[in-house]
Amino acid sequence: MTNLNMLKENSLKGKTILITGGGTGLGKSMGKSFLELGANLIIASRKMDVLEQTASELKKETGGTILPIQCDVRKYSEVESVLQKGIETFGEVNVLLNNAAGNFISPTERLSHKAFDIIVDIVLKGSYNTTLAFGKYWIDKQIQGTILNIVTTYAWTGSGFVVPSATAKAGVLALTRSLASEWGKYGIRSNAIAPGPFPTKGAWSRLFPENLSKKLDPKQRIPLKRFGEHHELANLASYLVSDYSGYVNGEVVTIDGGEWLYGAGEFNGLDQVPTEMWDEIEKMTRGKK
Ligand code: HXC
Ligand code: NAP
C-alpha cells in the first residue's frame, strides 16, 4: 500500500511508544504509522491473542519492532508491569498514548451502576493509572516524555446516550490540561486529539448498529459529508508525539470534519432548505421594519 505518512522517514526514531488498546481500530492504525516512522512500539490490552496477531501483522508490513503485552489498564500493578517490561526491552519508554476505551449507547436510566463503572474505569481510571505510572518514572529519570490522550468532541459538549463515556472523556481532557501546566516544568508535554467518527469495528458495532444507521445517517451531521480516514488521524497523532510539536502543550486538536460545530451553530440546519425555497423566505424576511 502507498505510504500515506506526512512526516519524513525516521521522524520518530529513538522513540518508544506505548499505545493502550493498540491491537485494534485506531490504535492499530496509529501504531502502524509510528512503526513506519521508525519508533519502537508497545501495544497493551486485555486480549493477548488479538495483540499477538496485530504484532505479527505490523511486523511483517513495516519491519518494525513491536512488543505486545497483556494488560488491563484498570489495574495499576498491570500498568506498572507494562512499563517495566518496556524499559527492560527498549531501555526507555518515552511516549504514552492513552487510546483504550469502552463505550456503548444506552438511555442512562437503563444502566446498572456496574455498566457506568466499567466505562469510567476503562477510560478515566485507565488513563490516570498509565499517566501516573509514566509520570513518576519520567520525573525520576529526568525523561522528557510525551502524553497523547484520545478523547472525543463530547468531552466538552457532553452527549446523551453515552453518558459514562462523556463523563470519563471529560475527565481525561481535564487530566490532559492539568498536567500540561503542572508537568511542563519537567519537559513533559500533555495533549489530546478529539476525533469525530472514524469507522472501526469496535465503535461501529456498539455505537452505530445497522438498524439505527439506516434511520439516522451519521454522515448528514458532518459538513464534509464523510467519515474520517485512519491515516488522517495517524498523521495528526504522529505529529503530536514527534519533536516537531515540541511547543504544543495542553492542546486538544479536533479532527471531525466540522461535526461538533455544525451541531452547535443555531442555524446550521438551514442547509436542509432547498435552494428554490430561499426566494420565498427572502420575500418573507426582507424589509421587515
Ligand atoms: C447497557 C450494558 C451494555 C449495553 C454492557 N452493559 N453492555 N448495559 N447496554 N449495551 C453492562 C453489563 O450488563 C454489565 O452490567 C456491565 O455493563 C459490564 O458488562 P460486561 O459485558 O460484563 O463487560 P466486559 O465484557 O468487560 O465488556 C466491556 C464493555 C465492552 C465496555 C461493555 O463493550 C468492551 O469490551 N468494549 C471495549 C471496546 C469498545 O467499547 N470500543 C468502542 C470505543 S468507541 P451488569 O450490571 O449487568 O453486570 C468510542 C467512540 C466515541 O469510544 C465517539 C464516537 C464518535
Ligand atoms: P476499539 O477498536 O474498540 O479500541 C478500543 C481498544 O481498547 C481495544 O483494543 C480494547 O482491547 C482496548 N481496551 C478496552 N478495555 C480495556 C482495558 N480494560 N484495558 C486495556 N485495553 C482495553 O475502538 P476504536 O474506535 O479504535 O477506539 C479507539 C479510541 O478512539 C478510543 O479512545 C475511542 O474512544 C476513541 N474514539 C473513536 C472514535 C471512532 O469513531 N472510532 C471517535 C472518537 C474517539 P481489548 O478488548 O483487547 O482490551
Side-chain angles (χ1 to χ4, degrees):
M1 210 185 103
T2 345
N3 183 338
L4 296 167
N5 294 320
M6 158 187 97
L7 295 183
K8 57 182 187 252
E9 232 172 86
N10 291 326
S11 291
L12 298 181
K13 203 157 184 66
K15 307 243 178 243
T16 296
I17 304 175
L18 166 66
I19 306 182
T20 65
T24 64
L26 300 180
K28 182 177 173 183
S29 297
M30 290 187 279
K32 181 166 182 263
S33 284
F34 296 165
L35 287 166
E36 287 168 344
L37 292 168
N40 299 318
L41 192 66
I42 304 167
I43 53 174
S45 77
R46 295 166 301 176
K47 299 190 191 100
M48 196 58 193
D49 53 331
V50 174
L51 294 172
E52 274 168 349
Q53 169 68 31
T54 295
S56 85
E57 206 180 294
L58 293 186
K59 200 172 173 188
K60 210 186 288 168
E61 280 175 14
T62 67
T65 310
I66 171 164
L67 176 67
I69 309 176
Q70 186 164 33
C71 167
D72 184 333
V73 290
R74 293 170 291 182
K75 299 183 181 145
Y76 192 75
S77 59
E78 293 190 17
V79 168
E80 278 185 313
S81 154
V82 169
L83 178 56
Q84 217 38 57
K85 283 182 190 150
I87 296 167
E88 279 160 24
T89 308
F90 298 110
E92 179 174 301
V93 186
N94 37 35
V95 179
L96 165 65
L97 202 172
N98 282 311
N99 165 81
N103 204 354
F104 47 73
I105 45 172
S106 174
T108 307
E109 66 277 15
R110 287 171 62 103
L111 297 176
S112 68
H113 69 277
K114 277 192 198 155
F116 218 113
D117 280 348
I118 196 149
I119 304 303
V120 174
D121 284 356
I122 299 170
V123 175
L124 180 54
K125 188 174 189 185
S127 299
Y128 69 66
N129 277 346
T130 51
T131 301
L132 191 62
F134 276 64
K136 284 175 187 285
Y137 153 66
W138 288 337
I139 292 165
D140 181 47
K141 300 289 177 203
Q142 299 186 351
I143 294 168
Q144 303 204 333
T146 299
I147 302 166
L148 180 61
N149 295 323
I150 306 298
V151 295
T152 66
T153 55
Y154 60 63
W156 58 89
T157 63
S159 174
F161 304 97
V162 283
V163 170
S165 171
T167 308
K169 293 284 191 184
V172 176
L173 184 54
L175 181 73
T176 309
R177 289 175 166 151
S178 304
L179 291 178
S181 298
E182 190 181 335
W183 286 353
K185 62 178 176 283
Y186 301 116
I188 297 171
R189 296 187 298 121
S190 175
N191 291 297
I193 295 178
F198 282 72
T200 65
K201 194 173 161 213
W204 255 234
S205 61
R206 295 175 174 91
L207 305 175
F208 304 107
E210 213 180 311
N211 54 355
L212 195 62
S213 300
K214 278 184 193 148
K215 284 207 172 89
L216 297 169
D217 179 1
K219 278 196 196 120
Q220 291 315 312
R221 298 166 32 82
I222 305 168
L224 293 180
K225 301 286 179 250
R226 68 170 177 88
F227 296 128
E229 296 194 14
H230 284 211
H231 72 269
E232 294 173 320
L233 178 75
N235 273 321
L236 178 58
S238 299
Y239 166 69
L240 287 173
V241 302
S242 79
D243 295 338
Y244 292 112
S245 62
Y247 203 52
V248 181
N249 186 27
E251 188 53 82
V252 52
V253 183
T254 300
I255 177 164
D256 74 342
E259 185 192 38
W260 89 265
L261 281 171
Y262 178 86
E266 179 79 34
F267 291 103
N268 288 336
L270 291 184
D271 62 4
Q272 301 297 316
V273 173
T275 314
E276 56 278 12
M277 213 175 143
W278 278 110
D279 286 341
E280 208 180 306
I281 293 174
E282 191 174 337
K283 262 189 240 153
M284 289 163 72
T285 54
R286 212 180 239 283
K288 294 284 173 208
K289 298 241 164 35

